[in-house]
Short mmCIF file of all heavy atoms in Angstrom, two decimals:
data_model
loop_
_atom_site.label_atom_id
_atom_site.label_comp_id
_atom_site.label_asym_id
_atom_site.label_seq_id
_atom_site.Cartn_x
_atom_site.Cartn_y
_atom_site.Cartn_z
N MET K 1 -117.88 -148.30 30.22
CA MET K 1 -119.02 -149.17 30.18
C MET K 1 -118.61 -150.53 30.74
O MET K 1 -117.61 -151.09 30.33
CB MET K 1 -119.52 -149.31 28.74
CG MET K 1 -120.61 -150.34 28.59
SD MET K 1 -121.19 -150.47 26.91
CE MET K 1 -122.27 -149.08 26.87
N HIS K 2 -119.41 -151.06 31.64
CA HIS K 2 -119.15 -152.36 32.25
C HIS K 2 -119.94 -153.43 31.52
O HIS K 2 -121.15 -153.33 31.40
CB HIS K 2 -119.53 -152.34 33.73
CG HIS K 2 -119.40 -153.67 34.39
ND1 HIS K 2 -118.19 -154.27 34.54
CD2 HIS K 2 -120.31 -154.50 34.90
CE1 HIS K 2 -118.37 -155.44 35.16
NE2 HIS K 2 -119.66 -155.59 35.38
N ILE K 6 -118.20 -160.13 29.65
CA ILE K 6 -116.88 -160.17 29.04
C ILE K 6 -115.89 -160.96 29.89
O ILE K 6 -115.03 -161.64 29.37
CB ILE K 6 -116.35 -158.74 28.81
CG1 ILE K 6 -117.31 -157.96 27.91
CG2 ILE K 6 -114.96 -158.75 28.21
CD1 ILE K 6 -117.63 -158.64 26.60
N TRP K 22 -100.95 -167.51 20.38
CA TRP K 22 -102.09 -168.24 19.85
C TRP K 22 -101.80 -168.51 18.38
O TRP K 22 -101.62 -167.58 17.60
CB TRP K 22 -103.34 -167.38 20.00
CG TRP K 22 -104.60 -167.99 19.51
CD1 TRP K 22 -104.90 -169.30 19.44
CD2 TRP K 22 -105.75 -167.30 19.04
NE1 TRP K 22 -106.17 -169.49 18.98
CE2 TRP K 22 -106.71 -168.26 18.72
CE3 TRP K 22 -106.07 -165.97 18.87
CZ2 TRP K 22 -107.96 -167.94 18.23
CZ3 TRP K 22 -107.31 -165.65 18.39
CH2 TRP K 22 -108.24 -166.62 18.07
N GLY K 28 -101.31 -169.56 9.95
CA GLY K 28 -100.06 -169.79 10.66
C GLY K 28 -99.51 -168.58 11.41
O GLY K 28 -98.40 -168.62 11.92
N ASN K 30 -98.87 -165.93 14.41
CA ASN K 30 -98.88 -165.94 15.87
C ASN K 30 -99.33 -164.58 16.39
O ASN K 30 -98.93 -163.55 15.86
CB ASN K 30 -97.48 -166.22 16.42
CG ASN K 30 -97.07 -167.65 16.25
OD1 ASN K 30 -97.89 -168.54 16.43
ND2 ASN K 30 -95.84 -167.88 15.87
N THR K 42 -111.51 -153.76 20.41
CA THR K 42 -111.93 -152.96 19.26
C THR K 42 -113.24 -153.48 18.68
O THR K 42 -114.15 -152.71 18.36
CB THR K 42 -110.83 -152.98 18.17
OG1 THR K 42 -109.63 -152.45 18.74
CG2 THR K 42 -111.24 -152.16 16.95
N LYS K 59 -138.13 -144.87 17.85
CA LYS K 59 -139.04 -143.81 18.29
C LYS K 59 -139.73 -144.28 19.57
O LYS K 59 -140.26 -145.39 19.63
CB LYS K 59 -140.06 -143.50 17.20
CG LYS K 59 -139.43 -142.89 15.97
CD LYS K 59 -140.47 -142.55 14.94
CE LYS K 59 -139.81 -141.89 13.75
NZ LYS K 59 -140.79 -141.59 12.70
N GLU K 60 -139.72 -143.42 20.57
CA GLU K 60 -140.29 -143.77 21.87
C GLU K 60 -141.74 -144.22 21.76
O GLU K 60 -142.14 -145.20 22.39
CB GLU K 60 -140.16 -142.60 22.85
CG GLU K 60 -140.64 -142.95 24.24
CD GLU K 60 -140.44 -141.84 25.24
OE1 GLU K 60 -139.86 -140.79 24.90
OE2 GLU K 60 -140.88 -142.01 26.39
N GLY K 82 -132.98 -166.48 10.00
CA GLY K 82 -131.54 -166.24 10.12
C GLY K 82 -131.17 -165.56 11.43
O GLY K 82 -131.65 -165.93 12.50
N ARG K 83 -130.33 -164.53 11.34
CA ARG K 83 -129.89 -163.81 12.54
C ARG K 83 -131.06 -163.13 13.24
O ARG K 83 -131.11 -163.08 14.46
CB ARG K 83 -128.81 -162.78 12.18
CG ARG K 83 -127.49 -163.42 11.81
CD ARG K 83 -126.50 -162.40 11.37
NE ARG K 83 -126.97 -161.88 10.08
CZ ARG K 83 -126.32 -161.01 9.34
NH1 ARG K 83 -125.18 -160.52 9.74
NH2 ARG K 83 -126.80 -160.60 8.19
N SER K 84 -132.01 -162.65 12.47
CA SER K 84 -133.21 -162.04 13.06
C SER K 84 -133.97 -163.08 13.87
O SER K 84 -134.53 -162.78 14.93
CB SER K 84 -134.12 -161.46 11.98
OG SER K 84 -133.48 -160.41 11.30
N LEU K 86 -132.62 -165.65 15.41
CA LEU K 86 -131.87 -165.89 16.65
C LEU K 86 -132.18 -164.81 17.68
O LEU K 86 -132.38 -165.10 18.87
CB LEU K 86 -130.37 -165.94 16.36
CG LEU K 86 -129.89 -167.15 15.57
CD1 LEU K 86 -128.41 -166.99 15.21
CD2 LEU K 86 -130.11 -168.43 16.34
N PHE K 100 -144.92 -163.92 30.23
CA PHE K 100 -145.80 -163.87 29.07
C PHE K 100 -145.96 -165.26 28.45
O PHE K 100 -145.05 -166.08 28.52
CB PHE K 100 -145.23 -162.94 28.00
CG PHE K 100 -145.24 -161.48 28.39
CD1 PHE K 100 -144.17 -160.92 29.06
CD2 PHE K 100 -146.33 -160.67 28.08
CE1 PHE K 100 -144.17 -159.58 29.41
CE2 PHE K 100 -146.34 -159.34 28.43
CZ PHE K 100 -145.26 -158.79 29.11
N THR K 110 -145.41 -174.91 18.98
CA THR K 110 -146.11 -173.65 18.69
C THR K 110 -147.52 -173.93 18.16
O THR K 110 -147.67 -174.59 17.14
CB THR K 110 -145.31 -172.82 17.65
OG1 THR K 110 -144.00 -172.60 18.17
CG2 THR K 110 -145.99 -171.49 17.38
N SER K 123 -137.35 -158.64 10.91
CA SER K 123 -136.70 -158.74 9.60
C SER K 123 -135.85 -157.51 9.38
O SER K 123 -136.37 -156.39 9.37
CB SER K 123 -137.76 -158.86 8.50
OG SER K 123 -137.16 -158.74 7.24
N LYS K 139 -152.75 -161.89 10.24
CA LYS K 139 -153.80 -160.86 10.19
C LYS K 139 -155.13 -161.46 9.76
O LYS K 139 -156.17 -161.08 10.27
CB LYS K 139 -153.37 -159.72 9.27
CG LYS K 139 -152.29 -158.86 9.88
CD LYS K 139 -151.96 -157.69 8.99
CE LYS K 139 -152.66 -156.49 9.59
NZ LYS K 139 -152.29 -155.23 8.96
N ALA K 143 -155.07 -161.84 14.32
CA ALA K 143 -153.95 -161.45 15.18
C ALA K 143 -153.44 -160.06 14.78
O ALA K 143 -153.61 -159.62 13.64
CB ALA K 143 -152.82 -162.46 15.07
N PHE K 146 -146.73 -156.81 14.60
CA PHE K 146 -145.79 -155.73 14.86
C PHE K 146 -144.48 -156.11 14.18
O PHE K 146 -143.94 -157.17 14.46
CB PHE K 146 -145.58 -155.55 16.37
CG PHE K 146 -144.99 -154.22 16.74
CD1 PHE K 146 -145.80 -153.19 17.19
CD2 PHE K 146 -143.63 -154.00 16.64
CE1 PHE K 146 -145.26 -151.96 17.53
CE2 PHE K 146 -143.08 -152.77 16.99
CZ PHE K 146 -143.90 -151.75 17.43
N LEU K 147 -143.99 -155.27 13.28
CA LEU K 147 -142.76 -155.55 12.55
C LEU K 147 -141.59 -154.79 13.17
O LEU K 147 -141.67 -153.58 13.36
CB LEU K 147 -142.90 -155.16 11.08
CG LEU K 147 -141.64 -155.28 10.21
CD1 LEU K 147 -141.20 -156.73 10.11
CD2 LEU K 147 -141.88 -154.69 8.83
N VAL K 148 -140.53 -155.51 13.46
CA VAL K 148 -139.29 -154.90 13.92
C VAL K 148 -138.30 -154.99 12.75
O VAL K 148 -137.97 -156.09 12.30
CB VAL K 148 -138.71 -155.64 15.16
CG1 VAL K 148 -137.40 -155.00 15.60
CG2 VAL K 148 -139.74 -155.65 16.29
N THR K 150 -135.15 -152.59 10.18
CA THR K 150 -134.34 -151.40 9.97
C THR K 150 -134.87 -150.59 8.79
O THR K 150 -134.42 -149.50 8.54
CB THR K 150 -132.87 -151.78 9.67
OG1 THR K 150 -132.83 -152.63 8.52
CG2 THR K 150 -132.24 -152.48 10.86
#
Side-chain angles (χ1 to χ4, degrees):
M1 173 179 280
H2 175 65
I6 301 306
W22 181 28
N30 287 319
T42 301
K59 293 182 178 178
E60 184 177 356
R83 289 176 291 184
S84 296
L86 291 173
F100 291 89
T110 303
S123 171
K139 287 184 101 171
F146 198 99
L147 175 64
V148 179
T150 58

